[in-house]
Amino acid sequence: MGDILDGATKDGIIRFKGLDPDKPVKIQIEAYSDNWEIDMEDYVFEIE
């Protein structure tokens, strides 16, 4: 797995099998930092 450093960007495609295009989808990605003093919140994408 690679890291995305501050200010960097990465492009890609995430494929999901069997999603219904007529129903909303919620994708939640866990956020992580080695610095325990930072309060990280997960990335949440709601797609309608």
Side-chain angles (χ1 to χ4, degrees):
M1 181 182 337
D3 293 335
I4 301 175
L5 302 176
D6 185 32
T9 61
K10 288 195 176 189
D11 293 324
I13 297 173
I14 301 174
R15 296 176 45 162
F16 296 92
K17 187 175 185 178
L19 295 178
D20 185 341
D22 296 324
K23 294 183 179 178
V25 175
K26 180 178 178 181
I27 300 172
Q28 185 168 341
I29 302 172
E30 183 179 88
Y32 172 80
S33 174
D34 286 330
N35 184 345
W36 296 104
E37 295 179 3
I38 297 176
D39 186 24
M40 301 281 295
E41 292 188 22
D42 293 347
Y43 299 96
V44 178
F45 302 92
E46 295 185 22
I47 304 165
E48 294 184 22

